[in-house]
Amino acid sequence: MYTISNKNENWNLKLKRRILSEKVIMPNERIKEIMKLRDSEELYRIEGLIINNHFPISLEISYLLKYSFPNLKSKDLSTMPPYEIFIKKYELKISKVRESFSAKMLDQETSKKLKALDKTFALLVNRLAWSNNIIFEYRESIIRTDKCH
């Protein structure tokens, strides 16, 4: 499983999360299909940056089942890794995670957020996470390949 963390002290990582936006949404058809949702299910859409030593290295857009995370606060997400919150605060039992990896050319808006050059390639990681047989998260992570390896 792909993860960005501060665990390895030898790498001199000083990671921070900065939440750019958090809102409750009704998902579009694409997200409904990916997460296998019913029409009435609301999601949190949370967009944030992972920053290392003042440089954005990853843009993450997470779609979370709202009913699974009552009173979720962006303040919490900027101070603790999301899965730590899911497990400790919400006692979520994660049963399966599936990820796919592909290359993505950065558009102008994403390049600006990541402080990268337009039309350069990044790594796109799509993640689905289950608790029992319910998909509780769909996440798209766009990772700068010039800052991570």
Side-chain angles (χ1 to χ4, degrees):
M1 181 170 82
Y2 146 81
T3 184
I4 296 178
S5 75
N6 302 15
K7 300 278 189 227
N8 191 332
E9 294 170 8
N10 297 328
W11 291 356
N12 193 28
L13 296 176
K14 294 184 172 111
L15 299 179
K16 293 183 180 178
R17 288 186 194 287
R18 184 172 63 190
I19 304 303
L20 301 176
S21 69
E22 173 194 355
K23 55 188 165 188
V24 175
I25 65 165
M26 293 304 292
N28 62 28
E29 291 302 317
R30 178 179 159 268
I31 300 298
K32 275 195 239 178
E33 185 177 321
I34 290 170
M35 293 182 72
K36 304 191 182 344
L37 300 173
R38 295 184 307 266
D39 284 340
S40 60
E41 291 183 284
E42 292 182 312
L43 300 177
Y44 288 111
R45 183 192 183 277
I46 301 166
E47 183 174 339
L49 291 171
I50 305 296
I51 299 168
N52 180 32
N53 294 317
H54 308 289
F55 256 106
I57 59 172
S58 177
L59 174 66
E60 296 184 340
I61 302 168
S62 291
Y63 299 90
L64 301 167
L65 286 175
K66 185 179 177 213
Y67 72 81
S68 294
F69 306 102
N71 304 313
L72 182 65
K73 304 284 184 240
S74 60
K75 183 184 114 186
D76 294 338
L77 293 168
S78 62
T79 58
M80 289 175 63
Y83 278 68
E84 194 171 322
I85 294 169
F86 301 162
I87 292 166
K88 288 181 178 177
K89 183 176 179 180
Y90 295 99
E91 300 178 357
L92 189 72
K93 305 281 189 252
I94 300 166
S95 56
K96 179 170 72 167
V97 174
R98 188 180 74 209
E99 296 177 320
S100 63
F101 300 83
S102 59
K104 175 181 177 65
M105 185 178 291
L106 296 179
D107 58 31
Q108 190 173 17
E109 181 183 344
T110 305
S111 295
K112 187 176 179 179
K113 290 175 184 175
L114 287 171
K115 297 182 182 175
L117 296 173
D118 285 355
K119 298 187 180 182
T120 57
F121 281 95
L123 178 65
L124 173 63
V125 180
N126 291 316
R127 172 185 290 178
L128 284 170
W130 284 260
S131 180
N132 298 318
N133 290 322
I134 298 169
I135 298 171
F136 69 87
E137 180 192 38
Y138 170 63
R139 182 190 306 173
E140 298 173 346
S141 299
I142 302 167
I143 305 162
R144 288 182 59 164
T145 55
D146 62 334
K147 297 294 179 190
C148 298
H149 60 277

